[in-house]
Amino acid sequence: MAKLRTRKHRVVLSRSAGGDTGITILLTFLGAFMLLPMLYAIMQSLKPLDELWRFPPRFYVTKPTLKNFRDLFVLMNTAWVPFSRYLFNTMFTSIVGTTGHLFIASMAAYAMAKIPMPGGRAMFRTVRMSLMFHSTVTAVTSFIIMSAFGWIDTYLAIIFPALVFTLGLYLMKQFMESNVTDSVLESARIDGASEFRIFWVIAMPMVKPAWLTLIIYCFERLWNAGVSIYIHSEQLKSFNYAIHQIMAGGIKRAGAAAAATVVMMVVPISVFVITQSNIIETMGSSGMKD
Amino acid sequence: MSQKTAGVRAVARKDMTRRQWIWKEMKRNKVGYIMVAPYMILFTIFTVIPVLLSMVISFTDFNMLQWPNFVFLDNYINLFLDDDIFLIAVKNTFIFAAIVGPASYLMSFLVAWFINELPPKIRAVVTLIFYAPSISGEVYMIWRTLFSGDSYGWVNATLLRLDIITKEIQFFEDKDWVMPLCIVVALWLSLGTTFLAFIAGLQGVRRELYEAGAVDGIRNRWQELWYITLPEMKPQLMFGAIMSITSSFGFGAVVTNLCGYPSVDYAAHTIMHHLDDYGHLRLEIGYSSTIAVVLFAIMIGANLLVSKLISKVGR
């Protein structure tokens, strides 16, 4: 993959100036559509209160201030449940869920990709099938199952479903199939290494971009998880939920709400900036072949 | 995997029946089953069983309180014949999915295609701009601020200043505006996994093919796209389609956050909301399972149909 990306000679063929201009205009237009709301969210968070309620409203901030962020932290500290608790809940479920997912899904992906067991393909097809429907379909019956286990209102109800996040297994399996060479595994087998050892010591280091992608995807899902149908106790609710409460707080809290929005988006965006090239590399083998 | 299996199969001995051979292979590879076990067990509990369970419950009048009775097709008949709101939900869901699914797919592809020839650094920045909304959680609530119903909303204020309107529009409380706005926001959020898969797919098309194509008389970028690029990245097109379609059916929470629940005159009421309503508010589990089964069938149907269409690309 990496080799494909470095172009030794740039081939410019069959390109017309008119087409280039048209594409640039369209791209600028679409880019503005994507960027402006984000920019406005940032502007809002930097506006002092008199500018937030200025009439007529302005897009740009004239006297930027960090007061809203200070207000947000003050508000967090005076909340009924301490804000650190919400943050802990989200961090805890995100870290445990993501680690577990990475391990369980990669191990299954390795077996499906590299061990010729009867039924392996059928299992993978079943898992792939679940990419075709959204989890809202199973929300009600999952709730029944969770209550049968007695997991309602516990961290387990958040963590366990995250472990079997389908896209993670799918991407990992596809990536292993095209990036882990069979001959290396074969020689390790001849040397008498166990499959677990081969998976952990040989295969996993070869798929670093894929596991970074799995981590990002799973973490992002858990980080952005808001109100959960499984959780009632205030003490167990997520950071996202708490932020949402502040955002819904109305006029008095408009400043803090704007700051909260920015706080929420900073984490996933910075994580993506750091790992972008790995994610794109993983996506290179994401295709469905049959 | 297929190659290896084929290799093993070739040495399978003649004196074994197929069943004996499979049994032997299963025993030989038992470590594989141990490795998939944790995932597959949890996957069964949290995905397979819930789907099957809703199919079973959809034939009962289960309500979490009394022992369920078997009612056969009553739920389905009620759903399609007596539930007017469900029909509104079906209509809205189809409009929503039929616009958001293809539009986000097309947009993902076009943007990925446009930026493919940019230098890597610039491409990374543009990728971030387009991808950021889809990972930023509830930042989409900024649309509520932009389109706020009073004259403090930036859009209303601008329209008033330009004399396009004389009175503020109650964007998220107006039944004519709710749906279009939700669609716009959904599109804004939709450049996700599909988009990244397309960027990667385009990067993976072999350069020699373009050179060979130029020699063979490909004259413009459209021919190049149709004859070389699209067939080359068909696996990504397939994957992207599935991701786009599935997520185009999953915007229930976004709509609720933007317009409240229920939306004005049920103007943005989708099957997802209907399901939520009966499942989590009214606790009519039997009926809500019926809705879930119908939604499941629609999603799988749409995905299989589109996969079939895409398999024809470049042929």
Side-chain angles (χ1 to χ4, degrees):
Chain A
M1 281 298 126
K3 233 179 277 162
L4 288 172
R5 208 173 295 147
T6 54
R7 279 176 215 161
K8 292 221 176 62
H9 40 258
R10 235 176 98 77
V11 197
V12 182
L13 22 93
S14 28
R15 294 289 179 272
S16 62
D20 282 342
T21 321
I23 282 174
T24 311
I25 291 169
L26 194 56
L27 199 61
T28 313
F29 176 76
L30 286 173
F33 167 66
M34 300 305 281
L35 190 61
L36 288 179
M38 295 295 262
L39 217 54
Y40 192 64
I42 297 168
M43 291 291 172
Q44 287 288 86
S45 75
L46 297 174
K47 284 178 184 172
L49 213 56
D50 58 321
E51 270 190 71
L52 274 176
W53 297 109
R54 193 194 136 93
F55 185 82
R58 260 214 217 135
F59 194 91
Y60 292 103
V61 52
T62 43
K63 291 192 292 293
T65 163
L66 289 176
K67 189 178 171 300
N68 292 332
F69 289 90
R70 265 202 307 278
D71 286 353
L72 175 66
F73 290 109
V74 170
L75 201 62
M76 284 175 173
N77 290 329
T78 53
W80 177 46
V81 172
F83 235 75
S84 51
R85 182 64 203 243
Y86 293 119
L87 193 59
F88 169 79
N89 292 338
T90 290
M91 290 307 271
F92 179 75
T93 47
S94 300
I95 290 171
V96 175
T98 306
T99 316
H101 168 66
L102 176 66
F103 187 72
I104 291 179
S106 307
M107 193 164 70
Y110 171 78
M112 286 178 188
K114 294 295 173 188
I115 300 179
M117 50 183 172
R121 276 178 76 84
M123 281 188 247
F124 180 65
R125 273 162 192 276
T126 318
V127 173
R128 200 180 68 180
M129 189 85 169
S130 74
L131 288 177
M132 294 194 180
F133 61 86
H134 197 266
S135 57
T136 37
V137 165
T138 53
V140 175
T141 32
S142 296
F143 189 85
I144 297 176
I145 289 173
M146 288 292 179
S147 37
F149 286 156
W151 286 358
I152 299 296
D153 220 16
T154 65
Y155 289 128
L156 298 177
I158 305 289
I159 293 171
F160 268 89
L163 297 182
V164 286
F165 172 41
T166 321
L167 188 61
L169 179 120
Y170 176 82
L171 290 175
M172 184 55 101
K173 191 253 181 193
Q174 300 294 77
F175 197 77
M176 282 193 167
E177 215 151 71
S178 47
N179 289 275
V180 177
T181 35
D182 284 330
S183 55
V184 181
L185 302 182
E186 244 3 277
S187 55
R189 279 179 195 134
I190 291 166
D191 291 344
S194 73
E195 287 291 342
F196 283 104
R197 221 186 125 67
I198 298 176
F199 156 67
W200 196 242
V201 180
I202 297 173
M204 281 305 264
M206 288 166 93
V207 293
K208 218 164 163 189
W211 54 261
L212 268 169
T213 308
L214 254 68
I215 291 175
I216 306 311
Y217 266 86
C218 192
F219 183 80
E220 187 188 296
R221 254 165 91 103
L222 288 163
W223 174 263
N224 284 336
V227 194
S228 165
I229 48 170
Y230 305 127
I231 304 291
H232 320 301
S233 310
E234 202 61 33
Q235 279 84 358
L236 295 180
K237 283 185 175 160
S238 66
F239 184 61
N240 189 312
Y241 160 84
I243 292 281
H244 190 81
Q245 292 306 98
I246 290 180
M247 285 163 73
I251 296 170
K252 216 175 79 192
R253 290 177 178 176
T261 320
V262 172
V263 169
M264 272 322 270
M265 73 190 215
V266 161
V267 174
I269 289 182
S270 358
V271 170
F272 178 70
V273 169
I274 299 166
T275 56
Q276 192 188 80
S277 59
N278 288 287
I279 298 182
I280 303 275
E281 197 176 336
T282 308
M283 290 297 166
S285 56
S286 68
M288 275 187 192
K289 272 149 206 129
D290 47 308
Chain B
M1 185 181 108
S2 55
Q3 261 183 355
K4 208 189 271 151
T5 328
V8 175
R9 218 162 251 164
V11 295
R13 284 154 52 191
K14 284 267 161 52
D15 57 326
M16 278 194 288
T17 63
R18 193 170 155 68
R19 192 173 299 169
Q20 277 171 323
W21 179 79
I22 288 177
W23 182 237
K24 198 168 155 266
E25 277 298 292
M26 285 172 82
K27 273 199 293 196
R28 198 171 70 90
N29 292 306
K30 62 176 181 295
V31 63
Y33 296 102
I34 299 170
M35 291 176 100
V36 295
Y39 188 93
M40 288 313 286
I41 291 169
L42 289 174
F43 179 76
T44 309
I45 296 173
F46 295 114
T47 306
V48 179
I49 293 179
V51 168
L52 297 178
L53 196 61
S54 4
M55 288 178 185
V56 175
I57 295 178
S58 73
F59 295 110
T60 69
D61 61 358
F62 189 40
N63 59 8
M64 289 286 227
L65 300 171
Q66 291 142 320
W67 187 251
N69 293 310
F70 185 69
V71 295
F72 200 49
L73 286 177
D74 282 8
N75 285 332
Y76 289 88
I77 293 166
N78 284 338
L79 190 61
F80 284 103
L81 298 182
D82 290 337
D83 193 339
D84 293 336
I85 297 171
F86 177 69
L87 296 180
I88 297 176
V90 170
K91 193 193 82 191
N92 285 338
T93 309
F94 272 105
I95 294 175
F96 206 84
I99 296 176
V100 174
S104 82
Y105 187 68
L106 218 67
M107 203 157 91
S108 297
F109 185 82
L110 284 179
V111 175
W113 188 49
F114 291 166
I115 68 176
N116 188 42
E117 287 169 23
L118 295 175
K121 288 240 167 63
I122 300 176
R123 195 173 60 227
V125 173
V126 181
T127 304
L128 179 68
I129 291 175
F130 282 90
Y131 184 64
S134 74
I135 49 169
S136 300
E138 297 201 348
V139 174
Y140 62 81
M141 292 302 277
I142 198 68
W143 287 86
R144 262 205 85 106
T145 319
L146 274 170
F147 283 85
S148 168
D150 49 38
S151 45
Y152 288 104
W154 187 76
V155 173
N156 264 332
T158 308
L159 291 177
L160 281 171
R161 203 178 48 215
L162 299 175
D163 280 330
I164 295 171
I165 52 171
T166 50
K167 197 177 167 305
E168 306 87 36
I169 302 172
Q170 304 282 315
F171 287 105
F172 284 102
E173 283 83 36
D174 184 323
K175 65 177 169 36
D176 298 325
W177 279 99
V178 162
M179 196 64 175
L181 272 174
C182 287
I183 288 173
V184 169
V185 177
L187 278 175
W188 186 69
L189 287 168
S190 70
L191 260 66
T193 309
T194 309
F195 176 55
L196 296 185
F198 286 166
I199 291 177
L202 286 161
Q203 290 293 308
V205 178
R206 284 164 292 152
R207 305 302 300 170
E208 311 91 83
L209 287 176
Y210 291 131
E211 285 157 32
V215 174
D216 288 346
I218 278 186
R219 279 196 312 276
N220 55 45
R221 71 179 91 213
W222 304 102
Q223 286 184 348
E224 189 183 284
L225 178 69
W226 184 252
Y227 292 109
I228 301 173
T229 312
L230 287 180
E232 264 295 285
M233 55 180 292
K234 208 150 102 181
Q236 257 86 18
L237 292 180
M238 199 78 109
F239 173 68
I242 287 172
M243 297 311 288
S244 288
I245 294 169
T246 306
S247 61
S248 73
F249 283 103
F251 280 111
V254 175
V255 174
T256 307
N257 282 337
L258 286 173
C259 330
Y261 180 82
S263 47
V264 55
D265 277 355
Y266 293 102
H269 193 71
T270 64
I271 306 183
M272 290 76 86
H273 295 107
H274 211 56
L275 175 63
D276 228 31
D277 186 7
Y278 282 91
H280 297 305
L281 299 177
R282 305 186 201 201
L283 293 181
E284 291 182 31
I285 308 296
Y287 195 66
S288 76
S289 296
T290 313
I291 302 170
V293 171
V294 171
L295 184 58
F296 176 78
I298 293 173
M299 289 188 205
I300 298 278
N303 269 303
L304 293 178
L305 184 76
V306 171
S307 303
K308 197 149 241 167
L309 286 177
I310 289 174
S311 65
K312 295 204 162 58
V313 165
R315 270 196 199 154

